[in-house]
PDB file of all heavy atoms in Angstrom:
ATOM      1  N   ASP A   1    -192.361  97.094 203.016  1.00  0.00           N
ATOM      2  CA  ASP A   1    -192.434  96.946 201.510  1.00  0.00           C
ATOM      3  C   ASP A   1    -191.124  97.155 200.851  1.00  0.00           C
ATOM      4  O   ASP A   1    -190.949  96.796 199.631  1.00  0.00           O
ATOM      5  CB  ASP A   1    -193.513  97.857 200.959  1.00  0.00           C
ATOM      6  CG  ASP A   1    -194.913  97.548 201.455  1.00  0.00           C
ATOM      7  OD1 ASP A   1    -195.201  96.375 201.603  1.00  0.00           O
ATOM      8  OD2 ASP A   1    -195.642  98.554 201.650  1.00  0.00           O
ATOM      9  N   MET A   2    -190.196  97.856 201.483  1.00  0.00           N
ATOM     10  CA  MET A   2    -188.870  98.181 200.905  1.00  0.00           C
ATOM     11  C   MET A   2    -187.848  97.079 201.146  1.00  0.00           C
ATOM     12  O   MET A   2    -186.770  97.103 200.510  1.00  0.00           O
ATOM     13  CB  MET A   2    -188.352  99.498 201.508  1.00  0.00           C
ATOM     14  CG  MET A   2    -189.243 100.684 201.264  1.00  0.00           C
ATOM     15  SD  MET A   2    -188.513 102.195 201.976  1.00  0.00           S
ATOM     16  CE  MET A   2    -189.661 103.375 201.398  1.00  0.00           C
ATOM     17  N   ILE A   3    -188.185  96.139 202.050  1.00  0.00           N
ATOM     18  CA  ILE A   3    -187.190  95.060 202.373  1.00  0.00           C
ATOM     19  C   ILE A   3    -187.331  93.907 201.470  1.00  0.00           C
ATOM     20  O   ILE A   3    -188.454  93.372 201.334  1.00  0.00           O
ATOM     21  CB  ILE A   3    -187.337  94.642 203.833  1.00  0.00           C
ATOM     22  CG1 ILE A   3    -187.071  95.839 204.773  1.00  0.00           C
ATOM     23  CG2 ILE A   3    -186.363  93.538 204.153  1.00  0.00           C
ATOM     24  CD1 ILE A   3    -187.310  95.581 206.229  1.00  0.00           C
ATOM     25  N   ALA A   4    -186.371  93.465 200.731  1.00  0.00           N
ATOM     26  CA  ALA A   4    -186.421  92.375 199.865  1.00  0.00           C
ATOM     27  C   ALA A   4    -186.485  91.078 200.612  1.00  0.00           C
ATOM     28  O   ALA A   4    -186.067  90.905 201.772  1.00  0.00           O
ATOM     29  CB  ALA A   4    -185.210  92.344 198.909  1.00  0.00           C
ATOM     30  N   ASP A   5    -186.893  90.039 199.955  1.00  0.00           N
ATOM     31  CA  ASP A   5    -186.940  88.626 200.571  1.00  0.00           C
ATOM     32  C   ASP A   5    -186.577  87.734 199.403  1.00  0.00           C
ATOM     33  O   ASP A   5    -186.264  88.077 198.347  1.00  0.00           O
ATOM     34  CB  ASP A   5    -188.278  88.370 201.211  1.00  0.00           C
ATOM     35  CG  ASP A   5    -189.469  88.562 200.370  1.00  0.00           C
ATOM     36  OD1 ASP A   5    -189.454  88.113 199.139  1.00  0.00           O
ATOM     37  OD2 ASP A   5    -190.499  89.083 200.771  1.00  0.00           O
ATOM     38  N   GLU A   6    -186.720  86.427 199.660  1.00  0.00           N
ATOM     39  CA  GLU A   6    -186.333  85.360 198.781  1.00  0.00           C
ATOM     40  C   GLU A   6    -187.213  85.335 197.502  1.00  0.00           C
ATOM     41  O   GLU A   6    -186.799  84.846 196.476  1.00  0.00           O
ATOM     42  CB  GLU A   6    -186.308  83.953 199.362  1.00  0.00           C
ATOM     43  CG  GLU A   6    -187.656  83.405 199.741  1.00  0.00           C
ATOM     44  CD  GLU A   6    -188.185  83.822 201.094  1.00  0.00           C
ATOM     45  OE1 GLU A   6    -187.633  84.844 201.647  1.00  0.00           O
ATOM     46  OE2 GLU A   6    -189.170  83.191 201.640  1.00  0.00           O
ATOM     47  N   THR A   7    -188.433  85.971 197.565  1.00  0.00           N
ATOM     48  CA  THR A   7    -189.212  86.067 196.325  1.00  0.00           C
ATOM     49  C   THR A   7    -188.682  87.054 195.397  1.00  0.00           C
ATOM     50  O   THR A   7    -188.972  87.029 194.191  1.00  0.00           O
ATOM     51  CB  THR A   7    -190.694  86.391 196.717  1.00  0.00           C
ATOM     52  OG1 THR A   7    -190.730  87.729 197.310  1.00  0.00           O
ATOM     53  CG2 THR A   7    -191.279  85.434 197.702  1.00  0.00           C
ATOM     54  N   VAL A   8    -187.872  87.991 195.866  1.00  0.00           N
ATOM     55  CA  VAL A   8    -187.182  89.019 195.072  1.00  0.00           C
ATOM     56  C   VAL A   8    -185.879  88.410 194.544  1.00  0.00           C
ATOM     57  O   VAL A   8    -185.552  88.595 193.339  1.00  0.00           O
ATOM     58  CB  VAL A   8    -186.911  90.330 195.818  1.00  0.00           C
ATOM     59  CG1 VAL A   8    -186.172  91.272 194.967  1.00  0.00           C
ATOM     60  CG2 VAL A   8    -188.247  90.875 196.245  1.00  0.00           C
ATOM     61  N   GLY A   9    -185.095  87.795 195.358  1.00  0.00           N
ATOM     62  CA  GLY A   9    -183.818  87.261 195.005  1.00  0.00           C
ATOM     63  C   GLY A   9    -183.027  86.778 196.239  1.00  0.00           C
ATOM     64  O   GLY A   9    -183.378  87.009 197.384  1.00  0.00           O
ATOM     65  N   THR A  10    -181.976  86.056 195.941  1.00  0.00           N
ATOM     66  CA  THR A  10    -181.099  85.606 196.957  1.00  0.00           C
ATOM     67  C   THR A  10    -179.631  85.962 196.797  1.00  0.00           C
ATOM     68  O   THR A  10    -178.752  85.237 197.198  1.00  0.00           O
ATOM     69  CB  THR A  10    -181.273  84.047 197.191  1.00  0.00           C
ATOM     70  OG1 THR A  10    -181.005  83.390 195.887  1.00  0.00           O
ATOM     71  CG2 THR A  10    -182.651  83.675 197.628  1.00  0.00           C
ATOM     72  N   SER A  11    -179.401  86.977 196.024  1.00  0.00           N
ATOM     73  CA  SER A  11    -178.029  87.559 195.819  1.00  0.00           C
ATOM     74  C   SER A  11    -178.124  89.121 195.883  1.00  0.00           C
ATOM     75  O   SER A  11    -179.207  89.646 195.585  1.00  0.00           O
ATOM     76  CB  SER A  11    -177.495  86.998 194.482  1.00  0.00           C
ATOM     77  OG  SER A  11    -178.071  87.616 193.474  1.00  0.00           O
ATOM     78  N   GLU A  12    -177.060  89.697 196.109  1.00  0.00           N
ATOM     79  CA  GLU A  12    -177.040  91.169 196.064  1.00  0.00           C
ATOM     80  C   GLU A  12    -177.373  91.742 194.696  1.00  0.00           C
ATOM     81  O   GLU A  12    -178.079  92.651 194.567  1.00  0.00           O
ATOM     82  CB  GLU A  12    -175.688  91.676 196.541  1.00  0.00           C
ATOM     83  CG  GLU A  12    -175.385  91.380 198.054  1.00  0.00           C
ATOM     84  CD  GLU A  12    -174.109  92.118 198.505  1.00  0.00           C
ATOM     85  OE1 GLU A  12    -174.177  93.359 198.793  1.00  0.00           O
ATOM     86  OE2 GLU A  12    -173.082  91.445 198.625  1.00  0.00           O
ATOM     87  N   GLU A  13    -176.877  90.949 193.765  1.00  0.00           N
ATOM     88  CA  GLU A  13    -177.200  91.476 192.296  1.00  0.00           C
ATOM     89  C   GLU A  13    -178.702  91.352 192.012  1.00  0.00           C
ATOM     90  O   GLU A  13    -179.272  92.255 191.305  1.00  0.00           O
ATOM     91  CB  GLU A  13    -176.409  90.615 191.309  1.00  0.00           C
ATOM     92  CG  GLU A  13    -174.899  90.840 191.331  1.00  0.00           C
ATOM     93  CD  GLU A  13    -174.239  90.148 192.553  1.00  0.00           C
ATOM     94  OE1 GLU A  13    -174.930  89.244 193.194  1.00  0.00           O
ATOM     95  OE2 GLU A  13    -173.053  90.339 192.775  1.00  0.00           O
ATOM     96  N   GLU A  14    -179.319  90.324 192.523  1.00  0.00           N
ATOM     97  CA  GLU A  14    -180.733  90.142 192.242  1.00  0.00           C
ATOM     98  C   GLU A  14    -181.647  91.127 192.932  1.00  0.00           C
ATOM     99  O   GLU A  14    -182.663  91.583 192.457  1.00  0.00           O
ATOM    100  CB  GLU A  14    -181.154  88.709 192.626  1.00  0.00           C
ATOM    101  CG  GLU A  14    -180.594  87.636 191.604  1.00  0.00           C
ATOM    102  CD  GLU A  14    -180.969  86.232 192.159  1.00  0.00           C
ATOM    103  OE1 GLU A  14    -181.292  86.113 193.369  1.00  0.00           O
ATOM    104  OE2 GLU A  14    -180.862  85.289 191.310  1.00  0.00           O
ATOM    105  N   ILE A  15    -181.250  91.502 194.195  1.00  0.00           N
ATOM    106  CA  ILE A  15    -182.146  92.402 195.044  1.00  0.00           C
ATOM    107  C   ILE A  15    -181.857  93.889 194.799  1.00  0.00           C
ATOM    108  O   ILE A  15    -182.749  94.679 195.067  1.00  0.00           O
ATOM    109  CB  ILE A  15    -182.050  92.135 196.471  1.00  0.00           C
ATOM    110  CG1 ILE A  15    -180.708  92.458 197.049  1.00  0.00           C
ATOM    111  CG2 ILE A  15    -182.409  90.632 196.761  1.00  0.00           C
ATOM    112  CD1 ILE A  15    -180.625  92.278 198.585  1.00  0.00           C
ATOM    113  N   MET A  16    -180.730  94.250 194.207  1.00  0.00           N
ATOM    114  CA  MET A  16    -180.398  95.645 194.004  1.00  0.00           C
ATOM    115  C   MET A  16    -181.400  96.445 193.222  1.00  0.00           C
ATOM    116  O   MET A  16    -181.820  97.570 193.552  1.00  0.00           O
ATOM    117  CB  MET A  16    -178.977  95.811 193.429  1.00  0.00           C
ATOM    118  CG  MET A  16    -178.535  97.312 193.283  1.00  0.00           C
ATOM    119  SD  MET A  16    -178.470  98.154 194.823  1.00  0.00           S
ATOM    120  CE  MET A  16    -176.831  97.682 195.378  1.00  0.00           C
ATOM    121  N   PRO A  17    -181.858  95.938 192.057  1.00  0.00           N
ATOM    122  CA  PRO A  17    -182.916  96.695 191.294  1.00  0.00           C
ATOM    123  C   PRO A  17    -184.176  96.853 192.114  1.00  0.00           C
ATOM    124  O   PRO A  17    -184.748  97.978 192.042  1.00  0.00           O
ATOM    125  CB  PRO A  17    -183.220  95.759 190.087  1.00  0.00           C
ATOM    126  CG  PRO A  17    -181.979  94.902 189.942  1.00  0.00           C
ATOM    127  CD  PRO A  17    -181.497  94.741 191.369  1.00  0.00           C
ATOM    128  N   PHE A  18    -184.572  95.940 192.958  1.00  0.00           N
ATOM    129  CA  PHE A  18    -185.772  96.109 193.866  1.00  0.00           C
ATOM    130  C   PHE A  18    -185.485  97.238 194.806  1.00  0.00           C
ATOM    131  O   PHE A  18    -186.405  98.118 194.997  1.00  0.00           O
ATOM    132  CB  PHE A  18    -186.055  94.831 194.545  1.00  0.00           C
ATOM    133  CG  PHE A  18    -187.106  94.816 195.555  1.00  0.00           C
ATOM    134  CD1 PHE A  18    -188.437  94.643 195.222  1.00  0.00           C
ATOM    135  CD2 PHE A  18    -186.821  95.133 196.885  1.00  0.00           C
ATOM    136  CE1 PHE A  18    -189.414  94.632 196.179  1.00  0.00           C
ATOM    137  CE2 PHE A  18    -187.817  95.133 197.904  1.00  0.00           C
ATOM    138  CZ  PHE A  18    -189.078  94.964 197.505  1.00  0.00           C
ATOM    139  N   LEU A  19    -184.331  97.232 195.436  1.00  0.00           N
ATOM    140  CA  LEU A  19    -184.049  98.281 196.410  1.00  0.00           C
ATOM    141  C   LEU A  19    -183.990  99.650 195.804  1.00  0.00           C
ATOM    142  O   LEU A  19    -184.517 100.612 196.386  1.00  0.00           O
ATOM    143  CB  LEU A  19    -182.689  97.944 197.022  1.00  0.00           C
ATOM    144  CG  LEU A  19    -182.540  96.597 197.805  1.00  0.00           C
ATOM    145  CD1 LEU A  19    -181.105  96.454 198.313  1.00  0.00           C
ATOM    146  CD2 LEU A  19    -183.513  96.525 198.959  1.00  0.00           C
ATOM    147  N   LYS A  20    -183.494  99.766 194.624  1.00  0.00           N
ATOM    148  CA  LYS A  20    -183.499 101.025 193.902  1.00  0.00           C
ATOM    149  C   LYS A  20    -184.905 101.507 193.555  1.00  0.00           C
ATOM    150  O   LYS A  20    -185.226 102.638 193.685  1.00  0.00           O
ATOM    151  CB  LYS A  20    -182.715 100.965 192.631  1.00  0.00           C
ATOM    152  CG  LYS A  20    -181.140 100.844 192.932  1.00  0.00           C
ATOM    153  CD  LYS A  20    -180.362 100.746 191.601  1.00  0.00           C
ATOM    154  CE  LYS A  20    -178.832 100.676 191.912  1.00  0.00           C
ATOM    155  NZ  LYS A  20    -178.072 100.506 190.675  1.00  0.00           N
ATOM    156  N   GLU A  21    -185.708 100.582 193.009  1.00  0.00           N
ATOM    157  CA  GLU A  21    -187.102 100.871 192.654  1.00  0.00           C
ATOM    158  C   GLU A  21    -187.923 101.371 193.904  1.00  0.00           C
ATOM    159  O   GLU A  21    -188.701 102.336 193.806  1.00  0.00           O
ATOM    160  CB  GLU A  21    -187.806  99.681 192.091  1.00  0.00           C
ATOM    161  CG  GLU A  21    -189.227  99.890 191.706  1.00  0.00           C
ATOM    162  CD  GLU A  21    -189.936  98.530 191.409  1.00  0.00           C
ATOM    163  OE1 GLU A  21    -189.266  97.494 191.036  1.00  0.00           O
ATOM    164  OE2 GLU A  21    -191.155  98.391 191.507  1.00  0.00           O
ATOM    165  N   LYS A  22    -187.678 100.789 195.018  1.00  0.00           N
ATOM    166  CA  LYS A  22    -188.429 101.118 196.231  1.00  0.00           C
ATOM    167  C   LYS A  22    -187.842 102.372 196.930  1.00  0.00           C
ATOM    168  O   LYS A  22    -188.394 102.812 197.902  1.00  0.00           O
ATOM    169  CB  LYS A  22    -188.417  99.914 197.204  1.00  0.00           C
ATOM    170  CG  LYS A  22    -189.137  98.665 196.758  1.00  0.00           C
ATOM    171  CD  LYS A  22    -190.625  98.863 196.572  1.00  0.00           C
ATOM    172  CE  LYS A  22    -191.321  97.658 196.139  1.00  0.00           C
ATOM    173  NZ  LYS A  22    -192.801  97.818 195.986  1.00  0.00           N
ATOM    174  N   GLY A  23    -186.601 102.743 196.571  1.00  0.00           N
ATOM    175  CA  GLY A  23    -185.952 103.860 197.201  1.00  0.00           C
ATOM    176  C   GLY A  23    -185.558 103.487 198.620  1.00  0.00           C
ATOM    177  O   GLY A  23    -185.725 104.308 199.566  1.00  0.00           O
ATOM    178  N   HIS A  24    -185.017 102.365 198.788  1.00  0.00           N
ATOM    179  CA  HIS A  24    -184.596 101.897 200.112  1.00  0.00           C
ATOM    180  C   HIS A  24    -183.667 102.917 200.746  1.00  0.00           C
ATOM    181  O   HIS A  24    -182.652 103.395 200.121  1.00  0.00           O
ATOM    182  CB  HIS A  24    -183.952 100.558 200.092  1.00  0.00           C
ATOM    183  CG  HIS A  24    -183.872  99.847 201.411  1.00  0.00           C
ATOM    184  ND1 HIS A  24    -183.083 100.299 202.382  1.00  0.00           N
ATOM    185  CD2 HIS A  24    -184.580  98.766 201.955  1.00  0.00           C
ATOM    186  CE1 HIS A  24    -183.211  99.503 203.487  1.00  0.00           C
ATOM    187  NE2 HIS A  24    -184.145  98.577 203.233  1.00  0.00           N
ATOM    188  N   PRO A  25    -183.867 103.326 202.025  1.00  0.00           N
ATOM    189  CA  PRO A  25    -183.057 104.303 202.677  1.00  0.00           C
ATOM    190  C   PRO A  25    -181.565 103.875 202.808  1.00  0.00           C
ATOM    191  O   PRO A  25    -180.652 104.757 202.777  1.00  0.00           O
ATOM    192  CB  PRO A  25    -183.650 104.432 204.102  1.00  0.00           C
ATOM    193  CG  PRO A  25    -184.450 103.217 204.287  1.00  0.00           C
ATOM    194  CD  PRO A  25    -184.986 102.776 202.977  1.00  0.00           C
ATOM    195  N   ALA A  26    -181.259 102.612 202.812  1.00  0.00           N
ATOM    196  CA  ALA A  26    -179.873 102.206 203.026  1.00  0.00           C
ATOM    197  C   ALA A  26    -178.957 102.668 201.801  1.00  0.00           C
ATOM    198  O   ALA A  26    -177.767 102.955 202.029  1.00  0.00           O
ATOM    199  CB  ALA A  26    -179.789 100.673 203.109  1.00  0.00           C
TER     200      ALA A  26
END
């Protein structure tokens, strides 16, 4: 659930908010 895909975005800028929201360990 923490890993983004194309439905979230296809650029680092687009997926960063998702990763922060999910608390991605990376």
Side-chain angles (χ1 to χ4, degrees):
D1 294 327
M2 298 179 178
I3 299 173
D5 55 42
E6 69 275 16
T7 65
V8 176
T10 55
S11 70
E12 291 189 78
E13 293 76 13
E14 289 175 341
I15 68 173
M16 182 60 85
F18 173 88
L19 301 176
K20 289 179 178 178
E21 177 190 338
K22 297 293 183 179
H24 195 289

